[in-house]
């Protein structure tokens, strides 16, 4: 699942392959960009911002994309003597963009967001984001202030809100609540004074540690089947206490999101009763 670490690694891969090179071919396969041709322009840099990717191009333009739940950018070296390699990226109908230089071709696949912006107006796409856990603007104090600004909000929802801090998705939200031994539904006002700052320190440490890994790890276990503590481990025993991990719902009723937790290590707050999804078919 693309989260801040995945987006950072994707940006690094794209930047290493394409930055500083002239685009030999571009092909945008979304209606609003169907007539756009950026060939002949130099791709200046690729920058991650939370879960967003900004590909800045000569002439003051930025290709902005968001990976959503299933999106990806893939890069291939061009065959000798060819200026692009459009094949080998999977089903053609899933490709939303192709950008080729003399040496490499990048394909944007299943991208839910793909648009062309003026670089000076990138704020319209990413200006709402809070401090970026993997960015040069990381400000732990500001992130903590934003995290706590709605006292009644459940912790899991405050962590997932990119306006508070940018880069956390479902995986890290669940893992951080477990590390804090706190119910995902506990209101942020119930957190003890040192806990929010410690959570943010842990969040940054985990994303930094995982940004160069293909497979995430949030535990200290050397076993590959124990890379994560609770996420994706429904009905399997908690590493701490052996209680089966469960899932519950949060968010709007019409767009519920799943969170994984240990009911023993993360006891309910003040009698809360989360919607349990452990036995859903």
């Amino acid at each position: 699942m693309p989260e801040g670490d995945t987006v950072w690694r994707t940006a690094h891969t794209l930047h290493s392959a394409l930055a500083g090179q002239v685009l030999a071919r571009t092909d945008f396969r979304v209606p609003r960009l169907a007539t756009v041709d950026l060939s002949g322009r130099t791709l200046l840099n690729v920058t991650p911002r939370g879960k967003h990717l900004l590909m800045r191009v000569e002439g003051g333009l930025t290709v902005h994309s968001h990976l959503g739940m299933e999106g990806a950018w893939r890069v291939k070296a061009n065959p000798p003597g060819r200026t692009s390699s459009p094949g080998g990226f999977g089903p053609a109908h899933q490709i939303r963009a192709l950008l080729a230089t003399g040496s490499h071709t990048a394909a944007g696949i299943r991208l839910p967001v793909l648009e062309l912006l003026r670089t000076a107006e990138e704020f319209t796409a990413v200006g709402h984001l809070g401090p970026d856990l993997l960015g040069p603007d990381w400000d732990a104090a500001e992130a903590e202030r934003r995290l706590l600004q709605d006292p009644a909000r459940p912790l899991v929802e405050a962590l997932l809100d990119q306006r508070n801090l940018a880069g956390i998705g479902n995986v890290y939200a669940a893992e951080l609540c477990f590390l804090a031994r706190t119910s995902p539904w506990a209101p942020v006002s119930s957190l003890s004074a040192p806990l929010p700052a410690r959570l943010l320190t842990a969040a940054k440490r985990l994303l930094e540690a995982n940004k160069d890994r293909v497979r995430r790890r949030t535990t200290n276990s050397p076993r590959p089947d124990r890379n994560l503590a609770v996420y994706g481990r429904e009905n399997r025993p908690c590493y701490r206490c052996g209680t089966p991990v469960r899932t519950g719902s949060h968010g709007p009723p019409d767009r519920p999101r799943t969170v994984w937790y240990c009911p023993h290590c993360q006891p309910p707050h003040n009698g809360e009763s989360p919607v349990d999804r452990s036995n859903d078919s």
Side-chain angles (χ1 to χ4, degrees), residues 189-214:
S189 61
S190 70
L191 303 181
S192 60
L195 188 53
R198 290 176 181 172
L199 267 175
L200 295 175
T201 297
K204 182 165 180 61
R205 174 177 55 81
L206 288 174
L207 265 74
E208 289 282 0
N210 284 300
K211 68 183 183 182
D212 291 315
R213 296 175 182 159
V214 175

Side-chain angles (χ1 to χ4, degrees), residues 22 70 172 182 189 209 275:
V22 175
E70 299 181 344
Y172 285 114
T182 301
S189 61
V275 178

Side-chain angles (χ1 to χ4, degrees), residues 3 54 76 85 97 99 114 127 163 185 211 217 230 234 263:
E3 302 199 18
L54 303 170
K76 293 182 63 177
S85 178
L99 285 79
L114 180 65
R163 296 170 297 181
W185 296 272
K211 68 183 183 182
R217 177 178 297 165
V230 289
E234 180 180 355

Side-chain angles (χ1 to χ4, degrees), residues 8-237:
W8 186 95
R9 189 167 57 254
T10 299
H12 180 77
T13 299
L14 289 166
H15 184 88
S16 297
L18 306 177
Q21 299 188 54
V22 175
L23 293 169
R25 175 192 176 199
T26 63
D27 181 5
F28 297 100
R29 301 177 181 180
V30 294
R32 68 166 64 181
L33 302 181
T35 62
V36 171
D37 182 5
L38 300 180
S39 60
R41 299 173 186 252
T42 299
L43 194 150
L44 304 175
N45 61 70
V46 183
T47 300
R49 184 72 174 86
K51 299 182 184 182
H52 299 252
L53 278 167
L54 303 170
M55 306 172 74
R56 297 173 179 131
V57 181
E58 180 184 15
L61 297 175
T62 296
V63 178
H64 165 236
S65 61
H66 191 290
L67 302 185
M69 294 290 289
E70 299 181 344
W73 279 94
R74 295 176 186 162
V75 179
K76 293 182 63 177
N78 297 336
R82 295 178 58 182
T83 57
S84 67
S85 178
F89 290 113
H93 70 275
Q94 294 184 353
I95 296 176
R96 301 292 178 264
L98 287 168
L99 285 79
T101 67
S103 61
H104 291 82
T105 299
I109 301 166
R110 298 185 301 273
L111 300 174
V113 176
L114 180 65
E115 60 182 348
L116 187 65
L117 307 171
R118 294 190 179 279
T119 302
E121 297 176 355
E122 288 177 356
F123 67 89
T124 62
V126 297
H128 66 288
L129 298 176
D132 186 345
L133 282 156
L134 293 177
D137 72 326
W138 174 243
D139 183 335
E142 174 61 14
E144 181 177 355
R145 185 192 69 79
R146 294 187 181 211
L147 189 72
L148 300 176
Q149 64 186 347
D150 184 352
R153 196 168 195 190
L155 174 59
V156 65
E157 294 181 16
L159 287 170
L160 285 168
D161 191 335
Q162 302 300 294
R163 296 170 297 181
N164 293 338
L165 61 159
I168 289 179
N170 276 358
V171 178
Y172 285 114
E175 296 293 291
L176 287 166
C177 289
F178 177 80
L179 287 173
R181 296 179 180 263
T182 301
S183 165
W185 296 272
V188 295
S189 61
S190 70
L191 303 181
S192 60
L195 188 53
R198 290 176 181 172
L199 267 175
L200 295 175
T201 297
K204 182 165 180 61
R205 174 177 55 81
L206 288 174
L207 265 74
E208 289 282 0
N210 284 300
K211 68 183 183 182
D212 291 315
R213 296 175 182 159
V214 175
R215 189 167 184 175
R216 288 190 189 99
R217 177 178 297 165
T218 62
T219 72
N220 292 323
S221 173
R223 291 175 48 173
D225 62 333
R226 293 191 174 186
N227 282 345
L228 301 176
V230 289
Y231 180 86
R233 301 192 66 250
E234 180 180 355
N235 296 325
R236 296 173 66 184

